[in-house]
Amino acid sequence: MNTLELGRPGEIGIDGFFQPRRAAFWLLVLFLANGAYSVATLFLTNYAVVPQGLLTALVVWTIYALPFLFFLWHLDLFEQQSRSTFLLAFAWGGLGAVYLAIPANNAIFSLAAKLGSPEFRDSWGAAIAGPTTEEFLKTTGIILLVLVARTQFLTTLSVVVTGAMVGLGFQIVENVVYSTNAAIAAVNDDQVTPVLSTLLVRGFLCGLWSHSVYSAIAGFGVAQFMFRRHETLAMRVGWFLMFFALAWGLHATWNSPLLSPIQSVGALGPLLYIVAKGLPVLLIGIWIWRMALVQQSDYLAQVARHFVPEPSLIAPEERDTLSGLGTRRAARRALAKAHGRPAARALHALQRAQLRLLVACARHGRGLFTAGAEASVRRARRRLEARTGAVP
Amino acid sequence: MTVQTLPHSPVGDILPRRVRYRTWPATLAIFGAVVLYLGVLMAWDERAPSGTPVAPGQTVPVGRGLSYVPAEGWVIDAPRVQPEKAHGVRRDSLAFSVAVSEWNGTAREPMDRAMRIALTAKEAGYFGPESSFTTSGGLSGRTVDLFGMSTHGRYWVVVDEARKLALVAQAHGTPDQFHREEPALRAMVDSLRIQAAP
């Protein structure tokens, strides 16, 4: 067996997030601890006023978050990101960013009323405060996480998914706060119905094109700064600012009253209004995700070429299809037609094992760290050959 | 086991290396940016004038047919004004606001909710005894004093079951100013009027 090793022993690998020797770690801890205290105090306050409202909000928004977490987990191909990255990103969005955003947004709303008018604040306050404060703070979290352990972020996709997690954390905690505010402002003693109404509007009608997408776009900008090392610093900053501005602009447009007249277009006006505002955000989010996937595919193909030359691990015909989501799916479909669905499932298992091997190689180089992943590939290949009747 | 070393491989650039690197300049920049952002906004808000003075005797609409007459010398507290929902005025540290909303629940809940909010928001440490009040415009409800570490405040809550409305007026400020301005506060509460239902 050949083992490829790069650099000095022990130098290649991934840092954890516990980095007490790095200043960024302590700033992250400071903001997270303050955020946890602040959000817990806010929730306790709301519990004292509308206990049923808060408990209902916590339950429904936790349930709501689960499919999104699952989706983002799978967007990050094959557990490239550690659980701690997801946890910290979610915590930054839900604790650090929310805690810092509340006083800043309050000040902007207050200034909009004082310098403009209460009507101006009601119309445009959210369009000014929302993107300016929230995109800045959420992106700050992405940058802090990268600073603490930059080796955790090997590809554009890993930063984009981290950004989406930051946004999801922000979105969920913000929605819990909105729900309890709705319960406090309820028109009767019922605290549950306002929470469910908020879930319907903010969760199901507006949730797909919300903070997760904005932060994923800003995260893509952070990734461009990180990975375009061949370009000048000014260019890299320019890339970052461009995507940050895109996230800011989409958020501002969503919060602004510019498209409000659509609401009065017939009976379907309100629905049309949400789609008109949200669809561009979703489409741009998909475009960003596809660009990140393309970069991810190039990266995986490069890792495969250099670290896994053996055909027994990745056959020549598999190399072209392995790194792309669509090409992997097409290969499975073709196999399903020829040998049935069990064979396609076996190929799926093989592809996952191969990708895990590539991710392990990308993290540690080829060696003892990847021995388990190599064995998994060989096992998966034997199962596939048993299904297809191929001779090893 | 054969070990092959590829120190100049281009892929070497993409392999993560656990090396020491400085984060304090960027960390300091982030900390500075966050503190500057929040600090500038909060200081600006603190210094920005609150609102325009109210003309003597001017009746101010709050919403849902409710109106009141702010006391002379008070200024509109623009951040507390919510069109069709709430209005507020202030004089130095003393703030007075009125909020009106649709209400279909029990007559007791708006007062309980206001008291719970005051307690949990640390505006009040304890409450005085509750009593009833009636304005010259015919509105009647319950009122209660609230006391904080360095604040004194009062709630006036009216539930109009016929119109299905809840009205919550509140005042809070330093104890000295609260007592000095108590007549003005009473006058503002007394000026509360709800238009007769059509």
Side-chain angles (χ1 to χ4, degrees), chain A residues 79 83 193 297 332:
Chain A
E79 298 98 43
R83 283 188 176 83
T193 307
S297 296
R332 291 199 297 272

Side-chain angles (χ1 to χ4, degrees), chain A residues 50-373:
Chain A
V50 281
Q52 291 171 336
L54 178 75
L55 292 177
T56 310
L58 287 174
V59 169
V60 298
W61 286 110
T62 303
I63 294 169
Y64 175 87
L66 292 177
F68 281 90
L69 285 170
F70 183 78
F71 176 70
L72 291 177
W73 185 262
H74 279 266
L75 270 190
D76 175 42
L77 293 174
F78 313 103
E79 298 98 43
Q80 188 188 149
Q81 288 306 104
S82 61
R83 283 188 176 83
S84 51
T85 314
F86 276 78
L87 188 71
L88 285 169
F90 191 89
W92 176 268
L95 304 175
V98 167
Y99 140 74
L100 293 166
I102 289 171
N105 279 355
N106 285 345
I108 292 178
F109 275 97
S110 177
L111 281 166
K114 287 176 179 175
L115 305 177
S117 67
E119 289 78 11
F120 174 76
R121 176 206 52 204
D122 286 358
S123 302
W124 286 96
I128 300 166
T132 310
T133 299
E134 294 162 12
E135 294 315 317
F136 164 58
L137 292 172
K138 288 182 295 171
T139 308
T140 296
I142 302 171
I143 296 170
L144 262 183
L145 286 170
V146 170
L147 279 175
V148 172
R150 68 184 182 197
T151 52
Q152 291 272 348
F153 303 92
L154 298 178
T155 62
T156 298
L157 189 65
S158 66
V159 189
V160 168
V161 170
T162 302
M165 278 302 289
V166 170
L168 183 65
F170 190 93
Q171 191 174 332
I172 295 298
V173 173
E174 183 188 52
N175 285 341
V176 171
V177 174
Y178 272 103
S179 300
T180 47
N181 285 347
I184 289 170
V187 297
N188 53 35
D189 301 348
D190 178 11
Q191 298 172 16
V192 174
T193 307
V195 173
L196 299 180
S197 303
T198 310
L199 175 71
L200 176 71
V201 175
R202 294 191 64 87
F204 294 109
L205 296 178
C206 308
L208 277 179
W209 24 61
S210 188
H211 286 283
S212 271
V213 185
Y214 308 140
S215 299
I217 295 167
F220 189 82
V222 174
Q224 300 314 298
F225 178 86
M226 288 169 67
F227 298 120
R228 288 180 176 268
R229 294 195 193 100
H230 54 284
E231 295 183 4
T232 63
L233 183 67
M235 284 289 285
R236 290 161 67 197
V237 170
W239 281 109
F240 165 70
L241 289 177
M242 189 174 81
F243 285 99
F244 181 82
L246 182 60
W248 188 96
L250 289 170
H251 194 165
T253 308
W254 174 267
N255 283 8
S256 82
L258 284 175
L259 298 174
S260 296
I262 297 175
Q263 288 183 92
S264 50
V265 181
L268 290 176
L271 194 63
L272 200 64
Y273 170 65
I274 289 173
V275 173
K277 286 206 305 183
L279 199 58
V281 180
L282 191 63
L283 291 176
I284 289 173
I286 291 170
W287 171 62
I288 289 286
W289 179 58
R290 290 185 72 88
M291 283 200 294
L293 269 184
V294 168
Q295 291 183 12
Q296 175 95 355
S297 296
D298 292 346
Y299 171 80
L300 287 177
Q302 200 181 355
V303 171
R305 270 198 308 276
H306 283 83
F307 288 104
V308 193
E310 302 97 312
S312 61
L313 290 171
I314 304 176
E317 66 273 15
E318 290 166 350
R319 287 181 189 274
D320 296 333
T321 60
L322 186 60
S323 56
L325 196 65
T327 50
R328 284 198 300 275
R329 195 178 294 140
R332 291 199 297 272
R333 274 206 206 107
L335 195 70
K337 272 186 189 161
H339 295 280
R341 293 181 67 83
R345 278 197 292 274
L347 178 60
H348 196 190
L350 174 64
Q351 289 171 339
R352 290 182 76 93
Q354 288 169 326
L355 284 162
R356 284 206 178 97
L357 171 63
L358 292 183
V359 170
C361 288
R363 291 180 146 229
H364 306 287
R366 185 87 178 270
L368 289 175
F369 277 112
T370 58

Side-chain angles (χ1 to χ4, degrees), chain B residues 77-96:
Chain B
D77 194 357
R80 285 179 188 269
V81 177
Q82 290 179 281
E84 288 302 304
K85 288 180 188 166
H87 197 275
V89 287
R90 67 182 310 125
R91 184 166 199 172
D92 303 327
S93 71
L94 189 60
F96 175 81

Side-chain angles (χ1 to χ4, degrees), chain A residues 21-31 140 143-148, chain B residues 21-35:
Chain A
R21 296 170 76 98
R22 290 177 190 157
F25 169 80
W26 291 109
L27 189 61
L28 185 73
V29 168
L30 174 76
F31 283 145
T140 296
I143 296 170
L144 262 183
L145 286 170
V146 170
L147 279 175
V148 172
Chain B
Y21 58 90
R22 283 186 315 173
T23 66
W24 70 263
T27 304
L28 200 62
I30 288 173
F31 183 69
V34 170
V35 169

